[in-house]
Every structure is written in C-alpha cells, then in structure tokens.
C-alpha cells in the first residue's frame, strides 16, 4: 500500500494509522517488515511500500484515548524506537 501525504500527517502526529470497516467488522493497519538479527518484526508503516494487515474489531478494547488492541499497545510501548 502507498503511504500518501494524509497518511503521513497522521503518522507524524504520533497517531496510529487505522482503517475501520463497519460492514466486515474489521480494522486495518499499515505495517512494514523489519529484521533485527535473525528475527522479523512488524512495525507501523512510515514509508512506501507498506503492507496492510486486518484484524477483527472484536480484538479492540475501549480506553480513555479511544480504542486499542494488543498490536497497538506493543507499538505504543516501543514508541519512537521503531521510527527511522
């Protein structure tokens, strides 16, 4: 998937880049694959090309800041370390 200027503005604001599909009850996120040593990780996409990952909305939890998921919590925890 291509990260366009609108997507980049969301990313630069420190927000997760999400797509909600109420019809299929799914949420999409843009990710990049990175390799550290012999391990491969997914991090939030910050450039092109990114890959699109889909999860069921049932995996989301409501929180004071809006919604979160296990994936989003990991990304929040590692924060700026994944930024290039």
């Amino acid at each position: 998937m291509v990260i366009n200027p609108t997507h980049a503005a969301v990313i630069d604001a420190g927000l997760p880049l999400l797509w909600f599909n109420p019809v299929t009850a799914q949420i999409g996120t843009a990710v990049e694959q990175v390799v550290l040593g012999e391990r491969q990780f997914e991090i939030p996409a910050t450039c092109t090309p990114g890959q699109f990952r889909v999860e069921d909305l049932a995996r989301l939890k409501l929180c004071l800041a809006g919604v979160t998921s296990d994936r989003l919590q990991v990304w929040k925890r590692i924060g700026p370390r994944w930024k290039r």
Side-chain angles (χ1 to χ4, degrees):
M1 71 168 299
V2 175
I3 303 297
N4 68 34
T6 301
H7 300 145
V10 171
I11 293 165
D12 291 345
L15 301 169
L17 187 56
L18 306 172
W19 289 264
F20 290 92
N21 186 332
V23 175
T24 62
Q26 295 175 315
I27 182 174
T29 55
V31 300
E32 293 179 43
Q33 301 290 322
V34 295
V35 177
L36 296 173
E38 294 185 17
R39 296 186 65 192
Q40 185 170 327
F41 299 90
E42 283 187 348
I43 62 170
T46 57
C47 63
T48 302
Q51 298 174 343
F52 194 67
R53 294 286 183 260
V54 177
E55 302 182 75
D56 290 333
L57 280 174
R59 298 188 72 159
L60 292 179
K61 302 170 206 121
L62 289 176
C63 64
L64 292 176
V67 296
T68 192
S69 70
D70 292 341
R71 175 181 290 174
L72 295 174
Q73 284 297 310
V74 169
W75 289 351
K76 184 176 181 179
R77 205 168 38 247
I78 63 174
R81 289 180 282 179
W82 53 261
K83 293 186 179 181
R84 295 184 179 155

